[in-house]
Amino acid sequence: MGASTGPASDRARRLQRRTLLRAGLSALAVAPALSACRTRTHDYGTLRIPAPDHPVRWGLSKRYPVIDSGLKPKAGSTLRIYNYADYLSPRVMKDFEAQWGVSIHLSTFNDADEALTKIASESLGFDLYFPSYDSVGKLIQADFLRPLNPDYLPNTANLWHSLRDPWYDRGSRYTIPYTIYSTGIGWRSDLIDGDPSTLANPYDAFWDTQYRDNMAILDDWHTAMAMVLQRNGIDDINTTSSKDLALVRAQLLDLRRTMNPQVTIRMYTDMPAGQYGLAQFWSGDAINMPYYLPKNVDPGVLNFWFPPDGKGEVDNDLCVCLGQGSNPVAAHFFMNAILDDKIAGQNFGYTGYQPPLKQFTPSTLVDQGYLPENLSTAVVQQGDFKKGFPLLELPVTADGEYHQIWQEFKSGG
């Protein structure tokens, strides 16, 4: 790992992955088996929704057994990976093919809706899939995942301790963590007056009329609405309170009326290009910003704020082994490979999103050229998961209320 493998080497092909991931989670009704689970969630309460204060240890699959230990990938076989475009390093895949004599067939999708529909068809034989934890419960309860054999995953020792036994999958029976990210505020000090991080409430900057027509928020319903909740001191960013949602609605409509924000997911290119000076940001995209700056602009003008007390939005994505695949041994070997320090560094250099491994700290990432020191606040740290707030799956009724408010906001109120 080093500067030559950092984000700069691959900056041109990262597009919209995080929003695509989130956007599809609300549209699972097209996947019949998953839709059935979701209906049970609201109407019958039988779908288990994991949360930090409600950790879940899933039972073993009734359809797919744990594979035996001591096996090797079969040379000449094919490992079928299903993932977002540009969310896995081609070099990592090629190296794996060369090491094990396995061909990797990568299929991509545009959003989670499409992905889960195809997974539910069980006709395409995918071995690996990369979901967020707010959909993994549906996949497990629909019995689409194969439980993991930890004998094949010694590199889990490289993971942060806090993610070795995560609340969404106690015992890590079905998942390994893949990437992590936080959500905060980004700005260019040469394009706005003032420093949002010095405000008593930095989220108020999005309603400060001096930034009208010069700001943007994420085109992601739950992330944007979580920001409004946090602005008002409501730490439950998955609230189902009608009072809270009414407050979110009122302030979003006020934001639309008074600030005329751009609603987009292209902050990592738009802000370096100078289209606006203030925006809500995912940390992975903040890390990418320097590589899109014009050469005559000092990267020191870029800033990222995340609550210094750690009480902000923090999430992670996962990798799971699908039961429908025919190559579970190679799938386990590949999962172990992406937890290797060196390989994870190569992958980070391509995707721009940080793996939750012990070696990736703000100082090491700055020293190794992944980001300038002024953006080191975009590096997610283990302690952030202890204090931060995850976006969780919502009950159906609340999900509908959130979407109704978001659509009203996007349509102009």
Side-chain angles (χ1 to χ4, degrees), residues 131-321:
S132 183
Y133 52 59
D134 50 5
S135 64
V136 74
K138 301 182 186 71
L139 291 165
I140 293 172
Q141 290 169 97
D143 210 359
F144 288 149
L145 303 188
R146 183 185 297 279
L148 302 178
N149 182 336
D151 289 349
Y152 291 99
L153 304 168
N155 285 337
T156 54
N158 298 331
L159 286 165
W160 288 347
H161 180 77
S162 59
L163 289 178
R164 293 182 193 173
D165 185 26
W167 51 264
Y168 52 81
D169 180 23
R170 280 288 193 237
S172 301
R173 282 183 158 177
Y174 290 92
T175 66
I176 62 167
Y178 181 53
T179 60
I180 50 178
Y181 56 95
S182 65
T183 305
I185 300 173
W187 70 96
R188 275 183 60 165
S189 56
D190 60 332
L191 295 182
I192 68 168
D193 293 328
D195 179 347
S197 70
T198 64
L199 298 175
N201 186 340
Y203 298 113
D204 284 344
F206 293 119
W207 281 263
D208 187 333
T209 54
Q210 71 170 314
Y211 304 135
R212 177 183 169 85
D213 299 321
N214 190 25
M215 52 83 71
I217 66 169
L218 285 162
D219 188 6
D220 177 296
W221 61 274
H222 203 169
T223 301
M225 296 169 78
M227 181 270 291
V228 182
L229 290 166
Q230 289 182 276
R231 180 197 185 205
N232 289 278
I234 300 172
D235 292 342
D236 181 5
I237 60 175
N238 306 288
T239 180
T240 59
S241 162
S242 296
K243 180 181 177 182
D244 292 345
L245 293 179
L247 178 65
V248 170
R249 175 183 177 275
Q251 295 196 4
L252 276 179
L253 295 181
D254 180 54
L255 181 77
R256 169 64 75 184
R257 182 178 63 257
T258 61
M259 300 299 293
N260 191 31
Q262 294 198 38
V263 184
T264 179
I265 43 74
R266 297 192 62 87
M267 287 77 173
Y268 63 95
T269 58
D270 289 352
M271 187 175 288
Q275 294 188 28
Y276 40 78
L278 172 73
Q280 189 184 20
F281 254 92
W282 283 307
S283 59
D285 287 346
I287 289 173
N288 288 334
M289 276 197 295
Y291 308 105
Y292 293 91
L293 270 178
K295 292 183 178 179
N296 62 344
V297 178
D298 183 349
V301 302
L302 301 172
N303 303 273
F304 178 80
W305 174 86
F306 180 76
D309 62 2
K311 294 184 176 180
E313 185 191 327
V314 185
D315 294 287
N316 67 284
D317 290 342
L318 319 169
C319 180
V320 299
C321 184

Side-chain angles (χ1 to χ4, degrees), residues 8-82:
S9 61
D10 295 293
R11 62 184 180 274
R13 77 283 156 275
R14 277 186 298 278
L15 296 172
Q16 306 178 3
R17 200 216 68 80
R18 285 243 44 79
T19 280
L20 292 174
L21 185 64
R22 290 274 175 221
L25 293 177
S26 64
L28 295 176
V30 293
L34 300 172
S35 177
C37 286
R38 188 160 196 157
T39 299
R40 289 196 300 273
T41 301
H42 176 60
D43 293 341
Y44 307 107
T46 57
L47 179 66
R48 301 171 72 184
I49 299 178
D53 60 353
H54 184 234
V56 174
R57 181 182 296 276
W58 304 104
L60 294 177
S61 170
K62 297 179 180 177
R63 301 171 66 192
Y64 304 111
V66 177
I67 62 172
D68 293 334
S69 299
L71 304 175
K72 297 289 185 182
K74 183 178 180 180
S77 64
T78 298
L79 175 65
R80 299 184 182 279
I81 297 177
Y82 199 34

